[in-house]
Amino acid sequence: MGYELRVEREIPLGYTELAKSLAADTSPEASEAGFELRGLREAGEVVVRFGDATHTIATWATSACRLVGEPGSDWQLAQLAILSGLVGGRLTGEDGEVYSVRDGILEQVSSGSVLFEFGKLEEILSAGPGSWSE
């Protein structure tokens, strides 16, 4: 995609809170995703396993206190949306649009209006991480 999405919050996200959020959440989406934090306290990444491979969903830097991702598929976008909810944030694009899951649907919203529905979260997650170019 090459388009940066950020998990934004009112209060900066600390490493310890990020680690606890990933370890403690037992929601069905998070359990299915299996988020894992890798790397160091100063810089790391959040990965998700699908099949036999792990996929980077977001990067973390203590200096910025936020998660950033560049999804290459609806699956990665859905994982980022789930991750943002786990840490109490919202997933925001470079142009100010917000990506979220509402009523089981992954959607893009701008100025309060739904711009695009990617589809049912359950179907997107089960399809896996194929790229948008496929």
Side-chain angles (χ1 to χ4, degrees), residues 56-68:
T56 300
I57 300 303
T59 57
W60 160 262
T62 298
S63 59
C65 291
R66 70 176 181 199
L67 292 163
V68 176

Side-chain angles (χ1 to χ4, degrees), residues 98-114:
V98 175
Y99 299 83
S100 62
V101 177
R102 185 172 52 105
D103 298 328
I105 304 291
L106 177 63
E107 62 186 16
Q108 177 189 31
V109 178
S110 182
S111 302
S113 299
V114 174

Side-chain angles (χ1 to χ4, degrees), residues 31-109:
S31 296
E32 186 175 320
F35 293 111
E36 182 182 334
L37 184 57
R38 292 187 176 173
L40 304 172
R41 182 177 202 88
E42 294 77 26
E45 59 188 15
V46 176
V47 298
V48 173
R49 179 169 295 283
F50 188 87
D52 293 334
T54 56
H55 302 271
T56 300
I57 300 303
T59 57
W60 160 262
T62 298
S63 59
C65 291
R66 70 176 181 199
L67 292 163
V68 176
E70 290 186 19
S73 68
D74 288 354
W75 181 84
Q76 289 177 322
L77 179 61
Q79 298 290 1
L80 271 169
I82 294 167
L83 178 60
S84 67
L86 289 178
V87 298
R90 65 184 195 150
L91 186 59
T92 305
E94 293 175 4
D95 297 326
E97 74 282 8
V98 175
Y99 299 83
S100 62
V101 177
R102 185 172 52 105
D103 298 328
I105 304 291
L106 177 63
E107 62 186 16
Q108 177 189 31
V109 178

